[in-house]
Amino acid sequence: MPLLQDKVILISGGTQGLGAGVARRAAAEGAAGIAVTGRNAETGEKLAAEISATGVETRFIKTDLADVEQARNSVLETISAFGRLDCTVNAAGLTTRGTMLDTTPELFDAHIAVNLKSPFFIMAETIKHLRSRGVPGSIVNVISIAELGGQPYLAAYVAAKAGLAGATRNAAHAHRWDKIRINGLDIGWTATDGEAETQKKFHGAGEDWLEKANASVPMGKLGQVDEIAEFIVFLLSGRSGVVTGSVIDWDQNVYGGSD
């Protein structure tokens, strides 16, 4: 049986990159309905049409995660569109650079809003809905390996993602008796279109950035969207059993190891 047979899925930040990869994989694994959120209506509607053409109804919900009310409403709109919600993925992430010394309060607040506050309240609205139905469900938060310490130029990002890791464990513990499983994935450096833009904008990378990046890591390739998406779908599904409260490293560097 497909992993997400007859499930309705919400993917926050699901219109491009990893989120879009999860949406496509969820459709391939039997989802009954998919909602994807993002700010770019053209990108979101295009993805929704692409997946709907495969026979899985997909809706785009325009959402700016800097506004927590829009984030919360995305859950309610998903439920209104499909009649229910079974699984949620928080896949969005703001990666604007800033060190401890040059991060402004405004930049810090933006990271907290997108990387912590909105995912927190999307989780809360999902849990309320599942509890009201008296049914099990699952949530996966895409966090970052940087939450373990990260690079100096990601100070606010690290603070927010570390908060999301803690919130993931807290919510999983609080709602384990509701049979709502909540897990996180600490992803490492991943090859996405967004990463290409980031490398060029902030690090002066050229068109050959991916070739150089692949050569610099142990496995000879950065993290791959399709591989991560498959694992997220597995965590959402009943095939991952009783696992809850886990924040799992998805990286090729072993944190705590030393040469």
Side-chain angles (χ1 to χ4, degrees):
M1 181 180 293
L3 291 177
L4 296 180
Q5 184 71 44
D6 198 37
K7 301 296 184 184
V8 173
I9 318 296
L10 167 63
I11 305 166
S12 175
T15 61
Q16 59 185 353
L18 178 56
V22 174
R24 293 185 178 103
R25 191 66 205 173
E29 289 291 350
I34 299 170
V36 294
T37 78
R39 292 179 297 176
N40 189 311
E42 181 179 358
T43 301
E45 295 291 0
K46 183 179 179 180
L47 178 67
E50 172 200 323
I51 298 175
S52 292
T54 69
V56 179
E57 183 181 359
T58 304
R59 302 282 187 93
F60 167 66
I61 301 171
K62 185 174 174 60
T63 306
D64 184 352
L65 293 178
D67 181 348
V68 70
E69 289 308 313
Q70 289 188 43
R72 295 172 73 176
N73 285 336
S74 69
V75 179
L76 304 181
E77 289 185 45
T78 301
I79 295 165
S80 176
F82 294 101
R84 59 187 168 89
L85 175 61
D86 301 296
C87 306
T88 292
V89 178
N90 279 304
L94 177 68
T95 59
T96 310
R97 277 25 181 174
T99 70
M100 179 65 70
L101 300 183
D102 62 24
T103 293
T104 64
E106 292 76 18
L107 178 60
F108 184 86
D109 288 346
H111 275 277
I112 294 299
V114 174
N115 294 327
L116 177 57
K117 188 174 184 180
S118 282
F120 183 101
F121 285 100
I122 288 170
M123 279 199 291
E125 292 297 331
T126 300
I127 292 165
K128 289 175 187 176
H129 170 68
L130 292 168
R131 280 168 53 93
S132 74
R133 289 169 54 206
V135 298
S138 57
I139 298 170
V140 173
N141 293 321
V142 178
I143 309 175
S144 170
I145 203 71
E147 65 96 355
L148 298 175
Q151 296 88 340
Y153 54 77
L154 290 176
Y157 176 82
V158 169
K161 288 293 191 177
L164 184 56
T168 298
R169 296 184 180 98
N170 180 271
H173 175 73
H175 297 286
R176 66 199 192 282
W177 289 103
D178 295 317
K179 297 180 175 60
I180 300 170
R181 298 187 304 107
I182 304 169
N183 294 290
L185 204 59
D186 271 355
I187 62 171
W189 201 3
T190 302
T192 65
D193 291 339
E195 182 61 21
E197 294 173 11
T198 295
Q199 290 299 316
K200 292 173 184 178
K201 179 178 180 180
F202 293 107
H203 303 288
E207 293 300 324
D208 62 346
W209 79 271
L210 183 56
E211 180 182 352
K212 291 180 177 178
N214 286 339
S216 73
V217 293
M219 304 301 165
K221 65 176 183 178
L222 300 191
Q224 302 295 300
V225 165
D226 58 342
E227 295 172 352
I228 301 171
E230 286 185 17
F231 192 67
I232 289 172
V233 166
F234 173 77
L235 284 176
L236 289 175
S237 78
R239 286 286 295 278
S240 55
V242 299
V243 175
T244 193
S246 291
V247 176
I248 301 164
D249 289 358
W250 183 284
D251 199 14
Q252 51 198 297
N253 293 306
V254 179
Y255 288 78
S258 180
D259 293 326

